[in-house]
Amino acid sequence: MKRKLTTLIVAAATFAIGLVSTACGSTPYSAGGGDYGSRLVASASTTRVAAATVGVRRTLLGRVIVDSRGRTLYLFEKDTHRRSACSAQCAQFWPPLLTHGVPRARAGAKQLLLGMIRRPDGSRQVTYAGHPVYEYVGDSGPGQTNGEGSQEFGAGWDVLSPSGKKIEGEG
């Protein structure tokens, strides 16, 4: 009986933590609605649970940095050092990679190039080689680079190499 009660308490606590993190995980990206909006809420809530990890994956553009799910990360040429220029509607299409805690490098990525900035809403965004990094909602799976070369929201979007330099494809 004691074991069943302990299991029940652990299950209830896990469920409660999930509810609280879902409720607290609302982000500026959730205002979008539609297909992209629901994908963004799920994306933002998963990247905010713990410290973000950044790795490397081979794509048609070569080796690029990716998030923990293998999704390509991009820089926005309009960003200035330590400040993101992508918010509101921009962040609905280009969700920033958010973190709770110091981001970590996986094989191929360089820990020394990882950092964080604070966004206007108080969340922390991962940087790589000083560039705030973003996903692109047009990439539906790992290793896709559909956002490469885009000029949305007033400047270019490029993938990053493991050395932190932008890779300019034909986009």
Side-chain angles (χ1 to χ4, degrees), residues 27-29 36-37 39-40 43-44 71-77 79 84-98 119 125 132-139 144-160 171:
T27 66
Y29 327 123
Y36 284 143
R39 233 185 4 196
L40 291 171
S43 172
R71 292 178 57 108
T72 302
L73 296 172
Y74 297 84
L75 68 81
F76 184 36
E77 292 178 337
D79 289 344
S84 169
C86 180
S87 60
Q89 187 177 9
C90 176
Q92 291 179 1
F93 292 95
W94 296 91
L97 178 60
L98 302 178
R119 294 182 58 80
Q125 182 175 359
V133 293
Y134 307 84
E135 294 177 341
Y136 177 54
V137 296
D139 291 342
Q144 292 186 344
T145 58
N146 296 319
E148 172 58 38
S150 171
Q151 292 292 314
E152 296 175 349
F153 300 99
W157 295 89
D158 294 295
V159 297
L160 285 164

Side-chain angles (χ1 to χ4, degrees), residues 57-94:
R57 183 179 189 101
R58 184 162 297 284
T59 69
L60 294 175
L61 296 173
R63 293 177 41 174
V64 303
I65 63 164
V66 296
D67 69 6
S68 62
R69 298 172 298 151
R71 292 178 57 108
T72 302
L73 296 172
Y74 297 84
L75 68 81
F76 184 36
E77 292 178 337
K78 195 173 185 179
D79 289 344
T80 57
H81 186 65
R82 310 223 21 101
R83 186 168 308 278
S84 169
C86 180
S87 60
Q89 187 177 9
C90 176
Q92 291 179 1
F93 292 95
W94 296 91

